[in-house]
Coordinates of all heavy atoms in Angstrom, one line a residue:
M149 N -26.9 -12.4 -14.9 CA -26.2 -13.1 -13.8 C -25.8 -14.5 -14.2 O -25.0 -15.1 -13.5 CB -27.1 -13.2 -12.6 CG -27.2 -11.9 -11.8 SD -25.6 -11.4 -11.3 CE -25.9 -10.4 -10.0
A150 N -26.3 -15.0 -15.4 CA -26.0 -16.3 -15.8 C -24.5 -16.5 -16.2 O -23.9 -17.5 -15.9 CB -26.9 -16.8 -16.9
V151 N -24.0 -15.4 -16.9 CA -22.6 -15.5 -17.3 C -21.6 -15.6 -16.2 O -20.7 -16.5 -16.2 CB -22.3 -14.3 -18.3 CG1 -20.8 -14.3 -18.7 CG2 -23.2 -14.3 -19.5
P152 N -21.7 -14.7 -15.2 CA -20.7 -14.9 -14.1 C -20.9 -16.2 -13.4 O -19.9 -16.8 -13.0 CB -21.0 -13.8 -13.1 CG -21.9 -12.8 -13.8 CD -22.5 -13.5 -15.0
L153 N -22.1 -16.7 -13.2 CA -22.3 -18.0 -12.6 C -21.7 -19.2 -13.4 O -21.0 -20.1 -12.8 CB -23.8 -18.3 -12.4 CG -24.4 -17.5 -11.2 CD1 -25.9 -17.8 -11.2 CD2 -23.8 -17.8 -9.9
V154 N -21.8 -19.1 -14.7 CA -21.3 -20.2 -15.5 C -19.7 -20.1 -15.5 O -19.1 -21.2 -15.4 CB -21.7 -20.0 -17.0 CG1 -20.9 -20.9 -17.9 CG2 -23.2 -20.3 -17.1
I155 N -19.2 -18.9 -15.5 CA -17.7 -18.8 -15.3 C -17.2 -19.3 -14.0 O -16.2 -20.1 -13.9 CB -17.3 -17.3 -15.6 CG1 -17.5 -16.9 -17.0 CG2 -15.8 -17.1 -15.2 CD1 -17.3 -15.5 -17.3
L156 N -17.9 -19.0 -12.9 CA -17.6 -19.4 -11.6 C -17.7 -21.0 -11.5 O -16.9 -21.6 -10.9 CB -18.4 -18.8 -10.5 CG -18.1 -17.3 -10.2 CD1 -19.1 -16.7 -9.3 CD2 -16.7 -17.2 -9.6
Y157 N -18.8 -21.5 -12.0 CA -19.0 -23.0 -12.0 C -17.8 -23.6 -12.8 O -17.3 -24.7 -12.4 CB -20.3 -23.4 -12.6 CG -21.5 -23.0 -11.8 CD1 -22.8 -23.0 -12.4 CD2 -21.4 -22.7 -10.5 CE1 -23.9 -22.7 -11.7 CE2 -22.6 -22.4 -9.8 CZ -23.8 -22.4 -10.4 OH -24.9 -22.1 -9.6
A158 N -17.5 -23.1 -14.0 CA -16.4 -23.7 -14.8 C -15.1 -23.7 -14.0 O -14.3 -24.7 -14.0 CB -16.3 -23.0 -16.1
L159 N -14.8 -22.6 -13.4 CA -13.5 -22.5 -12.6 C -13.6 -23.4 -11.4 O -12.5 -24.1 -11.1 CB -13.3 -21.0 -12.1 CG -12.9 -20.0 -13.2 CD1 -13.0 -18.6 -12.6 CD2 -11.6 -20.3 -13.8
A160 N -14.7 -23.5 -10.8 CA -14.8 -24.5 -9.6 C -14.7 -25.9 -10.1 O -14.0 -26.7 -9.4 CB -16.1 -24.2 -8.9
V161 N -15.3 -26.2 -11.2 CA -15.1 -27.6 -11.7 C -13.7 -27.9 -12.1 O -13.2 -29.0 -11.8 CB -16.0 -27.8 -12.9 CG1 -15.7 -29.1 -13.7 CG2 -17.5 -27.9 -12.5
G162 N -13.0 -26.9 -12.7 CA -11.6 -27.1 -13.0 C -10.7 -27.3 -11.8 O -9.9 -28.2 -11.8
C163 N -10.9 -26.5 -10.8 CA -10.2 -26.7 -9.5 C -10.5 -28.0 -8.8 O -9.6 -28.6 -8.3 CB -10.4 -25.5 -8.6 SG -9.7 -23.9 -9.1
C164 N -11.7 -28.4 -8.8 CA -12.1 -29.6 -8.2 C -11.5 -30.8 -9.0 O -11.0 -31.8 -8.4 CB -13.6 -29.7 -8.2 SG -14.2 -31.1 -7.2
Y165 N -11.5 -30.8 -10.3 CA -10.9 -31.8 -11.1 C -9.4 -31.9 -10.8 O -8.9 -33.0 -10.6 CB -11.2 -31.6 -12.6 CG -10.5 -32.5 -13.5 CD1 -11.0 -33.8 -13.7 CD2 -9.3 -32.2 -14.1 CE1 -10.4 -34.7 -14.5 CE2 -8.7 -33.1 -15.0 CZ -9.2 -34.4 -15.1 OH -8.6 -35.3 -15.9
Y166 N -8.8 -30.8 -10.7 CA -7.4 -30.7 -10.4 C -7.1 -31.3 -9.1 O -6.1 -32.1 -8.9 CB -6.9 -29.3 -10.5 CG -5.4 -29.1 -10.4 CD1 -4.5 -29.7 -11.4 CD2 -4.8 -28.4 -9.4 CE1 -3.2 -29.6 -11.3 CE2 -3.5 -28.3 -9.3 CZ -2.6 -28.8 -10.2 OH -1.3 -28.7 -10.1
A167 N -7.9 -31.0 -8.1 CA -7.7 -31.5 -6.7 C -7.9 -33.1 -6.7 O -7.2 -33.8 -5.9 CB -8.7 -30.9 -5.7
L168 N -8.8 -33.6 -7.5 CA -9.1 -35.0 -7.5 C -8.1 -35.8 -8.3 O -7.9 -37.0 -8.0 CB -10.5 -35.3 -8.1 CG -11.7 -34.8 -7.2 CD1 -13.0 -35.0 -8.0 CD2 -11.7 -35.6 -5.9
T169 N -7.4 -35.2 -9.3 CA -6.5 -35.9 -10.1 C -5.1 -35.9 -9.6 O -4.3 -36.7 -10.1 CB -6.6 -35.5 -11.5 OG1 -6.3 -34.1 -11.6 CG2 -7.9 -35.7 -12.2
I170 N -4.8 -35.0 -8.7 CA -3.4 -35.0 -8.1 C -3.1 -36.2 -7.3 O -3.9 -36.5 -6.4 CB -3.1 -33.7 -7.3 CG1 -3.3 -32.5 -8.2 CG2 -1.8 -33.8 -6.6 CD1 -3.2 -31.2 -7.4
R171 N -2.1 -36.9 -7.6 CA -1.7 -38.1 -6.8 C -0.3 -37.9 -6.2 O 0.7 -37.8 -7.0 CB -1.7 -39.4 -7.7 CG -3.0 -39.7 -8.3 CD -4.0 -40.3 -7.2 NE -5.3 -40.6 -7.8 CZ -6.4 -40.0 -7.4 NH1 -6.4 -39.2 -6.4 NH2 -7.5 -40.4 -7.9
P172 N -0.2 -37.8 -4.9 CA 1.2 -37.7 -4.3 C 2.0 -38.9 -4.6 O 1.5 -40.0 -4.6 CB 0.9 -37.5 -2.8 CG -0.6 -37.1 -2.7 CD -1.2 -37.7 -3.9
S173 N 3.3 -38.7 -4.7 CA 4.2 -39.9 -5.0 C 4.5 -40.6 -3.7 O 4.8 -41.8 -3.8 CB 5.5 -39.4 -5.5 OG 5.3 -38.7 -6.8
G174 N 4.3 -40.0 -2.6 CA 4.5 -40.7 -1.3 C 4.2 -39.7 -0.2 O 3.8 -38.6 -0.4
T175 N 4.5 -40.1 1.0 CA 4.2 -39.3 2.2 C 5.1 -38.1 2.2 O 4.8 -37.1 2.9 CB 4.4 -40.1 3.5 OG1 5.7 -40.6 3.6 CG2 3.3 -41.2 3.6
W176 N 6.2 -38.1 1.5 CA 7.2 -37.0 1.5 C 6.9 -36.0 0.5 O 7.5 -34.9 0.5 CB 8.6 -37.6 1.2 CG 8.6 -38.5 -0.1 CD1 8.4 -39.8 -0.1 CD2 8.6 -38.1 -1.4 NE1 8.4 -40.3 -1.4 CE2 8.5 -39.2 -2.2 CE3 8.8 -36.9 -2.1 CZ2 8.5 -39.2 -3.6 CZ3 8.8 -36.8 -3.4 CH2 8.7 -38.0 -4.2
D177 N 5.9 -36.2 -0.4 CA 5.6 -35.3 -1.5 C 4.7 -34.1 -0.9 O 3.5 -34.1 -1.2 CB 4.8 -36.0 -2.6 CG 4.8 -35.3 -3.9 OD1 5.3 -34.2 -3.9 OD2 4.2 -35.8 -4.8
K178 N 5.3 -33.2 -0.3 CA 4.6 -32.0 0.3 C 4.0 -31.1 -0.7 O 3.0 -30.5 -0.5 CB 5.5 -31.2 1.2 CG 6.1 -32.1 2.4 CD 5.0 -32.5 3.3 CE 5.6 -33.3 4.4 NZ 4.6 -34.1 5.1
D179 N 4.6 -31.0 -1.9 CA 4.1 -30.1 -3.0 C 2.8 -30.6 -3.5 O 1.9 -29.8 -3.7 CB 5.1 -30.1 -4.1 CG 6.4 -29.3 -3.8 OD1 6.3 -28.5 -2.8 OD2 7.4 -29.6 -4.4
A180 N 2.6 -31.9 -3.6 CA 1.3 -32.5 -4.1 C 0.3 -32.3 -3.0 O -0.9 -31.9 -3.4 CB 1.5 -34.0 -4.4
Y181 N 0.6 -32.5 -1.8 CA -0.4 -32.2 -0.7 C -0.8 -30.8 -0.6 O -1.9 -30.4 -0.4 CB 0.1 -32.7 0.6 CG 0.2 -34.2 0.7 CD1 1.4 -34.9 0.8 CD2 -1.0 -35.0 0.7 CE1 1.5 -36.3 0.9 CE2 -0.9 -36.4 0.8 CZ 0.3 -37.0 0.9 OH 0.4 -38.4 1.0
G182 N 0.2 -29.9 -0.9 CA -0.1 -28.5 -0.9 C -1.0 -28.1 -2.0 O -1.9 -27.3 -1.9
A183 N -0.8 -28.7 -3.2 CA -1.6 -28.4 -4.4 C -3.0 -28.9 -4.2 O -4.0 -28.3 -4.6 CB -1.0 -29.1 -5.6
I184 N -3.2 -30.1 -3.5 CA -4.5 -30.6 -3.2 C -5.3 -29.6 -2.3 O -6.4 -29.3 -2.5 CB -4.4 -32.0 -2.6 CG1 -3.9 -33.0 -3.6 CG2 -5.8 -32.4 -2.0 CD1 -3.6 -34.4 -3.0
T185 N -4.6 -29.2 -1.3 CA -5.2 -28.3 -0.3 C -5.6 -26.9 -1.0 O -6.7 -26.4 -0.8 CB -4.2 -28.0 0.8 OG1 -3.9 -29.2 1.5 CG2 -4.8 -27.0 1.8
L186 N -4.7 -26.4 -1.8 CA -5.0 -25.1 -2.5 C -6.1 -25.3 -3.5 O -7.0 -24.4 -3.6 CB -3.7 -24.6 -3.2 CG -3.8 -23.2 -3.8 CD1 -4.0 -22.2 -2.7 CD2 -2.5 -23.0 -4.5
S187 N -6.1 -26.4 -4.3 CA -7.2 -26.6 -5.2 C -8.5 -26.8 -4.5 O -9.6 -26.3 -5.0 CB -6.9 -27.8 -6.1 OG -5.8 -27.6 -6.8
S188 N -8.5 -27.5 -3.4 CA -9.8 -27.7 -2.7 C -10.3 -26.3 -2.1 O -11.5 -26.0 -2.1 CB -9.5 -28.7 -1.5 OG -9.2 -29.9 -2.1
L189 N -9.3 -25.5 -1.6 CA -9.7 -24.2 -1.0 C -10.3 -23.3 -2.1 O -11.3 -22.7 -1.9 CB -8.5 -23.6 -0.4 CG -8.7 -22.2 0.2 CD1 -9.6 -22.3 1.5 CD2 -7.4 -21.6 0.6
F190 N -9.7 -23.3 -3.3 CA -10.2 -22.5 -4.4 C -11.6 -23.0 -4.8 O -12.4 -22.2 -5.1 CB -9.2 -22.6 -5.6 CG -8.1 -21.7 -5.5 CD1 -7.0 -21.8 -6.3 CD2 -8.0 -20.6 -4.6 CE1 -5.9 -21.0 -6.2 CE2 -6.9 -19.8 -4.5 CZ -5.8 -20.0 -5.3
T191 N -11.8 -24.3 -4.8 CA -13.1 -24.8 -5.2 C -14.1 -24.4 -4.2 O -15.2 -23.9 -4.6 CB -13.1 -26.4 -5.3 OG1 -12.1 -26.8 -6.2 CG2 -14.4 -26.9 -5.7
I192 N -13.8 -24.5 -2.9 CA -14.8 -24.0 -1.9 C -15.0 -22.5 -2.0 O -16.2 -22.1 -1.9 CB -14.3 -24.5 -0.5 CG1 -14.3 -26.0 -0.4 CG2 -15.1 -23.8 0.6 CD1 -13.6 -26.5 0.8
A193 N -14.0 -21.8 -2.2 CA -14.2 -20.3 -2.3 C -15.0 -19.9 -3.5 O -15.9 -19.1 -3.4 CB -12.8 -19.6 -2.4
L194 N -14.7 -20.5 -4.7 CA -15.5 -20.2 -5.9 C -16.9 -20.7 -5.7 O -17.9 -20.0 -6.2 CB -14.8 -20.9 -7.1 CG -13.5 -20.3 -7.6 CD1 -12.8 -21.2 -8.5 CD2 -13.7 -18.9 -8.2
S195 N -17.2 -21.8 -5.1 CA -18.5 -22.2 -4.9 C -19.3 -21.3 -3.9 O -20.5 -21.0 -4.1 CB -18.5 -23.7 -4.3 OG -18.0 -24.6 -5.2
A196 N -18.6 -20.8 -2.9 CA -19.2 -19.9 -2.0 C -19.6 -18.6 -2.7 O -20.7 -18.0 -2.5 CB -18.3 -19.6 -0.8
V197 N -18.7 -18.1 -3.5 CA -19.0 -16.9 -4.3 C -20.2 -17.1 -5.2 O -21.1 -16.2 -5.3 CB -17.8 -16.4 -5.1 CG1 -18.2 -15.2 -6.0 CG2 -16.7 -15.9 -4.1
A198 N -20.3 -18.2 -5.9 CA -21.4 -18.6 -6.7 C -22.7 -18.6 -6.0 O -23.7 -18.2 -6.4 CB -21.1 -19.9 -7.5
L199 N -22.6 -19.2 -4.8 CA -23.8 -19.3 -3.9 C -24.3 -17.9 -3.5 O -25.5 -17.6 -3.5 CB -23.6 -20.2 -2.7 CG -23.7 -21.7 -2.9 CD1 -23.2 -22.4 -1.7 CD2 -25.1 -22.1 -3.3
L200 N -23.3 -17.1 -3.1 CA -23.7 -15.7 -2.7 C -24.3 -14.9 -3.9 O -25.3 -14.2 -3.7 CB -22.5 -15.0 -2.2 CG -22.0 -15.4 -0.8 CD1 -20.7 -14.7 -0.5 CD2 -23.0 -15.2 0.2
I201 N -23.8 -15.1 -5.1 CA -24.3 -14.4 -6.2 C -25.7 -14.9 -6.5 O -26.6 -14.2 -7.0 CB -23.4 -14.6 -7.5 CG1 -22.2 -13.7 -7.3 CG2 -24.1 -14.2 -8.8 CD1 -21.2 -13.9 -8.4
T202 N -26.0 -16.2 -6.3 CA -27.3 -16.7 -6.5 C -28.3 -16.3 -5.5 O -29.5 -16.1 -5.8 CB -27.2 -18.3 -6.6 OG1 -26.2 -18.7 -7.5 CG2 -28.5 -18.9 -6.9
V203 N -27.9 -16.2 -4.2 CA -28.9 -16.1 -3.2 C -29.1 -14.6 -2.8 O -30.2 -14.2 -2.5 CB -28.4 -16.9 -1.9 CG1 -29.3 -16.6 -0.7 CG2 -28.5 -18.4 -2.3
I204 N -28.0 -13.8 -2.7 CA -28.1 -12.5 -2.1 C -28.9 -11.4 -3.0 O -29.7 -10.8 -2.4 CB -26.7 -11.9 -1.8 CG1 -26.0 -12.9 -0.9 CG2 -26.7 -10.5 -1.4 CD1 -25.8 -12.4 0.5
P205 N -28.5 -11.2 -4.3 CA -29.3 -10.1 -5.0 C -30.8 -10.4 -5.1 O -31.2 -11.5 -5.5 CB -28.6 -10.1 -6.4 CG -27.3 -10.9 -6.2 CD -27.5 -11.8 -5.1
P206 N -31.6 -9.4 -4.7 CA -33.0 -9.6 -4.7 C -33.6 -9.8 -6.1 O -34.6 -10.4 -6.3 CB -33.6 -8.4 -4.0 CG -32.5 -7.4 -3.9 CD -31.2 -8.2 -4.1
T207 N -32.9 -9.2 -7.1 CA -33.4 -9.3 -8.5 C -33.2 -10.7 -9.1 O -33.8 -11.1 -10.0 CB -32.7 -8.3 -9.4 OG1 -31.2 -8.5 -9.3 CG2 -33.0 -6.9 -9.0
V208 N -32.2 -11.5 -8.5 CA -31.9 -12.8 -9.0 C -32.8 -13.9 -8.3 O -33.2 -14.8 -8.9 CB -30.4 -13.1 -8.7 CG1 -30.1 -14.6 -9.2 CG2 -29.6 -12.2 -9.5
R209 N -33.2 -13.7 -7.1 CA -33.9 -14.7 -6.3 C -35.2 -15.2 -7.0 O -35.4 -16.4 -6.9 CB -34.2 -14.1 -4.9 CG -33.2 -14.6 -3.9 CD -33.6 -14.2 -2.5 NE -32.9 -13.0 -2.2 CZ -33.4 -12.0 -1.5 NH1 -34.6 -12.1 -1.0 NH2 -32.7 -10.9 -1.3
P210 N -36.0 -14.3 -7.5 CA -37.2 -14.9 -8.2 C -36.9 -15.8 -9.4 O -37.7 -16.7 -9.7 CB -38.0 -13.6 -8.6 CG -37.5 -12.5 -7.8 CD -36.0 -12.9 -7.5
A211 N -35.8 -15.6 -10.0 CA -35.5 -16.3 -11.2 C -34.8 -17.6 -10.9 O -34.6 -18.5 -11.8 CB -34.7 -15.5 -12.2
V212 N -34.3 -17.8 -9.7 CA -33.5 -18.9 -9.3 C -34.3 -20.1 -9.0 O -35.3 -20.0 -8.2 CB -32.6 -18.6 -8.1 CG1 -31.8 -19.8 -7.6 CG2 -31.6 -17.5 -8.5
V213 N -34.0 -21.2 -9.6 CA -34.7 -22.5 -9.3 C -33.7 -23.2 -8.3 O -32.5 -22.9 -8.2 CB -34.9 -23.3 -10.5 CG1 -36.0 -22.7 -11.4 CG2 -33.7 -23.6 -11.3
R214 N -34.3 -24.1 -7.6 CA -33.4 -24.8 -6.6 C -32.3 -25.6 -7.2 O -31.3 -25.8 -6.6 CB -34.3 -25.8 -5.8 CG -35.3 -25.1 -4.9 CD -36.1 -26.1 -4.2 NE -37.3 -25.4 -3.6 CZ -37.4 -25.3 -2.3 NH1 -36.6 -25.8 -1.5 NH2 -38.5 -24.7 -1.8
G215 N -32.4 -25.9 -8.5 CA -31.3 -26.6 -9.2 C -30.1 -25.8 -9.3 O -29.0 -26.3 -9.5
C216 N -30.2 -24.5 -9.3 CA -29.0 -23.6 -9.4 C -28.1 -23.7 -8.2 O -27.0 -23.3 -8.2 CB -29.4 -22.2 -9.7 SG -30.2 -21.9 -11.3
L217 N -28.7 -24.1 -7.0 CA -27.9 -24.2 -5.8 C -27.2 -25.5 -5.6 O -26.3 -25.6 -4.8 CB -28.9 -24.0 -4.6 CG -29.7 -22.7 -4.6 CD1 -30.6 -22.7 -3.4 CD2 -28.7 -21.5 -4.5
V218 N -27.6 -26.5 -6.4 CA -27.0 -27.8 -6.3 C -25.5 -27.9 -6.7 O -24.7 -28.4 -6.0 CB -27.9 -28.8 -7.0 CG1 -27.2 -30.2 -7.0 CG2 -29.2 -28.9 -6.3
P219 N -25.1 -27.4 -7.9 CA -23.7 -27.6 -8.4 C -22.7 -27.0 -7.4 O -21.7 -27.7 -7.1 CB -23.7 -26.9 -9.7 CG -25.1 -26.9 -10.2 CD -25.9 -26.8 -9.0
P220 N -22.8 -25.8 -6.9 CA -21.8 -25.3 -6.0 C -21.7 -26.1 -4.7 O -20.7 -26.3 -4.1 CB -22.1 -23.8 -5.8 CG -23.5 -23.6 -6.2 CD -23.8 -24.7 -7.2
L221 N -22.9 -26.5 -4.2 CA -22.9 -27.3 -3.0 C -22.2 -28.7 -3.2 O -21.4 -29.1 -2.3 CB -24.3 -27.5 -2.5 CG -25.1 -26.3 -2.0 CD1 -26.5 -26.6 -1.7 CD2 -24.4 -25.7 -0.8
I222 N -22.5 -29.3 -4.3 CA -21.8 -30.6 -4.6 C -20.3 -30.4 -4.7 O -19.5 -31.2 -4.2 CB -22.5 -31.3 -5.8 CG1 -23.9 -31.7 -5.5 CG2 -21.6 -32.4 -6.3 CD1 -24.6 -32.3 -6.6
L223 N -19.9 -29.4 -5.5 CA -18.5 -29.2 -5.7 C -17.8 -28.9 -4.4 O -16.7 -29.4 -4.1 CB -18.3 -28.0 -6.7 CG -18.6 -28.3 -8.1 CD1 -18.6 -27.1 -9.0 CD2 -17.6 -29.4 -8.7
A224 N -18.4 -28.0 -3.5 CA -17.8 -27.7 -2.3 C -17.7 -28.9 -1.4 O -16.7 -29.1 -0.7 CB -18.6 -26.6 -1.6
A225 N -18.7 -29.8 -1.4 CA -18.7 -31.0 -0.6 C -17.6 -32.0 -1.1 O -16.8 -32.5 -0.3 CB -20.0 -31.7 -0.7
I226 N -17.4 -32.1 -2.4 CA -16.4 -33.0 -2.9 C -15.0 -32.4 -2.5 O -14.1 -33.2 -2.1 CB -16.5 -33.1 -4.5 CG1 -17.7 -33.9 -4.8 CG2 -15.3 -33.7 -5.1 CD1 -18.1 -33.9 -6.3
A227 N -14.8 -31.1 -2.7 CA -13.5 -30.5 -2.3 C -13.3 -30.6 -0.8 O -12.1 -30.9 -0.5 CB -13.5 -29.0 -2.8
A228 N -14.3 -30.5 0.0 CA -14.1 -30.6 1.4 C -13.7 -32.0 1.8 O -12.8 -32.2 2.7 CB -15.3 -30.2 2.2
V229 N -14.3 -33.0 1.2 CA -13.9 -34.4 1.5 C -12.5 -34.7 1.0 O -11.7 -35.3 1.7 CB -14.9 -35.3 0.8 CG1 -14.4 -36.8 0.8 CG2 -16.3 -35.3 1.5
R230 N -12.1 -34.2 -0.2 CA -10.8 -34.4 -0.7 C -9.7 -33.7 0.2 O -8.7 -34.2 0.5 CB -10.7 -33.9 -2.1 CG -9.3 -33.9 -2.7 CD -8.8 -35.4 -2.9 NE -7.6 -35.4 -3.6 CZ -6.7 -36.4 -3.6 NH1 -7.0 -37.4 -2.8 NH2 -5.6 -36.3 -4.3
W231 N -10.1 -32.5 0.7 CA -9.2 -31.8 1.5 C -9.0 -32.5 2.9 O -8.0 -32.6 3.4 CB -9.7 -30.4 1.7 CG -8.8 -29.4 2.4 CD1 -7.5 -29.6 2.9 CD2 -9.1 -28.0 2.7 NE1 -7.0 -28.5 3.4 CE2 -7.9 -27.5 3.3 CE3 -10.2 -27.2 2.5 CZ2 -7.9 -26.2 3.8 CZ3 -10.1 -25.9 3.0 CH2 -9.0 -25.4 3.6
A232 N -10.2 -33.0 3.4 CA -10.1 -33.7 4.7 C -9.3 -35.0 4.7 O -8.5 -35.2 5.6 CB -11.6 -34.0 5.2
F233 N -9.4 -35.7 3.6 CA -8.7 -37.0 3.5 C -7.3 -36.8 2.8 O -6.5 -37.7 2.9 CB -9.5 -38.0 2.8 CG -10.7 -38.5 3.6 CD1 -12.0 -38.1 3.2 CD2 -10.5 -39.2 4.8 CE1 -13.1 -38.5 4.0 CE2 -11.6 -39.6 5.5 CZ -12.9 -39.2 5.2
N234 N -7.2 -35.7 2.1 CA -5.9 -35.3 1.5 C -4.9 -36.4 1.1 O -3.8 -36.4 1.5 CB -5.2 -34.3 2.5 CG -4.3 -33.4 1.9 OD1 -4.2 -33.3 0.6 ND2 -3.5 -32.7 2.6
G235 N -5.4 -37.2 0.3 CA -4.5 -38.3 -0.2 C -5.1 -39.6 -0.2 O -4.9 -40.5 -0.7

């Protein structure tokens, strides 16, 4: 289960980085605002899938330490804040 989680974390980090680095040129730049929203949504979705993979399967639960739950929660929180303030 470590390989899918690492892949999901890497994709979520990439989407979150993309959402944080996009800078709209002005209030008229709807494409940039749309890209921020989409990147934030992808980050939240990928983090949710990673959390589900970590928590749901009973074979994974005994091996999971609490530290495995922190990265997707932090990424989702950052993306949610970026999405909420959107610029």
Side-chain angles (χ1 to χ4, degrees):
M149 284 301 201
V151 174
L153 285 176
V154 169
I155 291 171
L156 286 171
Y157 290 165
L159 289 171
V161 166
C163 288
C164 190
Y165 175 77
Y166 187 63
L168 290 173
T169 57
I170 296 173
R171 298 285 180 241
S173 298
T175 56
W176 50 267
D177 196 1
K178 300 297 181 195
D179 291 335
Y181 289 115
I184 291 169
T185 301
L186 189 63
S187 296
S188 298
L189 181 67
F190 281 163
T191 302
I192 293 169
L194 289 168
S195 296
V197 170
L199 280 172
L200 287 175
I201 288 175
T202 304
V203 174
I204 299 251
T207 58
V208 177
R209 263 186 266 144
V212 173
V213 293
R214 292 179 194 247
C216 292
L217 301 175
V218 173
L221 292 174
I222 289 174
L223 288 171
I226 291 170
V229 167
R230 176 64 172 158
W231 190 1
F233 292 109
N234 205 9

